[in-house]
């Protein structure tokens, strides 16, 4: 048996063609749905991304008594359970929260992983003297920051290096 677990933040079911969405073309999801089981019901236990990931990976709802944080040594993640059953698991993620303080154990449960850099506040690229005048014109004031280590500054700098999908690590040009 092959298992592919697909998890996206901020992706609404109503936009996906396999669930009747028509406003935004989603041909890759349609192709995936042709070869997979499509689940019609899912009930969320936790809405913030890291607690929701813990719920999904461990099968236990825990947000009301455990906040945003790592998988604990006593958590049995599905990737770990698959390994014990003789299956290989591989994570492909752009979710940098796995690699920051407080989230550092989710990816270690997989046999291997790829981290696609540059999303949200990921401190991926460096720019010592960004062209602030030009950049200020490109971003809304609520999404703009010149403060060191601020997630908005990091995002602005990363966007300077990602002009299209082929600029992201792990993207195939074939």
């Amino acid at each position: 048996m092959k298992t592919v677990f697909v998890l996206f933040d901020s992706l609404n079911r109503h936009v996906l063609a396999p669930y009747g969405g028509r406003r935004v073309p989603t041909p890759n999801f349609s192709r995936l749905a042709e070869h997979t089981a499509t689940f019609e019901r899912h009930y969320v236990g936790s809405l913030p991304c890291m607690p929701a990931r813990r719920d999904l990976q461990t099968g236990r709802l825990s947000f009301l008594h455990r906040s945003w944080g790592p998988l604990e040594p006593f958590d049995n993640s599905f990737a770990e359970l698959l390994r014990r059953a003789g299956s290989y698991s591989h994570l492909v993620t752009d979710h940098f929260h796995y690699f920051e303080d407080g989230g550092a154990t989710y990816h270690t449960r997989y046999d291997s992983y790829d981290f696609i850099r540059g999303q949200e506040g990921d401190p991926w690229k460096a720019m010592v003297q960004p062209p602030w005048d030009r950049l200020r014109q490109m971003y809304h004031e609520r999404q703009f920051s010149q403060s060191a280590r601020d997630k908005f500054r990091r995002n602005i700098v990363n966007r300077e290096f990602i002009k299209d999908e082929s600029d992201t690590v792990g993207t195939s040009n074939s």
Side-chain angles (χ1 to χ4, degrees):
M1 176 173 80
K2 293 181 182 177
T3 302
V4 177
F5 176 66
V6 181
L7 176 63
F8 292 87
D9 281 357
S10 305
L11 179 65
N12 291 309
R13 164 191 170 120
H14 73 277
V15 301
L16 299 174
Y19 293 102
R22 300 283 178 252
R23 244 179 18 194
V24 178
T26 58
N28 293 332
F29 282 105
S30 296
R31 279 195 302 277
L32 180 64
E34 290 171 8
H35 303 284
T36 62
T38 301
F39 296 97
E40 296 296 328
R41 282 192 238 153
H42 172 73
Y43 300 96
V44 176
S46 305
L47 290 178
C49 62
M50 291 300 279
R53 289 165 194 272
R54 181 186 291 123
D55 292 353
L56 291 166
Q57 290 193 36
T58 66
R60 291 181 306 177
L61 304 180
S62 59
F63 184 56
L64 293 178
H65 64 278
R66 294 177 60 206
S67 65
W68 187 292
L71 291 176
E72 303 291 347
F74 54 83
D75 283 326
N76 294 315
S77 73
F78 73 87
E80 193 171 22
L81 296 172
L82 286 171
R83 181 182 48 79
R84 289 182 194 160
S87 293
Y88 187 91
S89 65
H90 180 77
L91 172 70
V92 178
T93 186
D94 67 358
H95 196 69
F96 86 98
H97 296 301
Y98 288 149
F99 302 90
E100 66 182 352
D101 287 347
T105 59
Y106 288 75
H107 64 290
T108 61
R109 303 295 176 102
Y110 293 84
D111 293 302
S112 57
Y113 62 87
D114 286 319
F115 180 27
I116 301 169
R117 301 295 305 267
Q119 299 300 312
E120 199 177 346
D122 176 20
W124 176 45
K125 291 292 188 177
M127 191 179 284
V128 176
Q129 294 180 329
W132 291 122
D133 290 337
R134 178 177 63 80
L135 294 171
R136 187 179 304 284
Q137 301 301 313
M138 297 170 59
Y139 293 89
H140 189 278
E141 64 184 54
R142 291 190 317 217
Q143 297 174 313
F144 184 87
S145 175
Q146 290 181 235
S147 299
R149 296 188 180 206
D150 184 273
K151 69 179 181 179
F152 294 115
R153 177 190 174 125
R154 289 175 173 169
N155 184 60
I156 289 168
V157 169
N158 289 342
R159 297 287 76 76
E160 286 293 290
F161 294 90
I162 302 173
K163 300 302 182 191
D164 62 47
E165 189 175 347
S166 66
D167 296 331
T168 61
V169 177
T171 302
S172 172
N173 292 326
S174 56

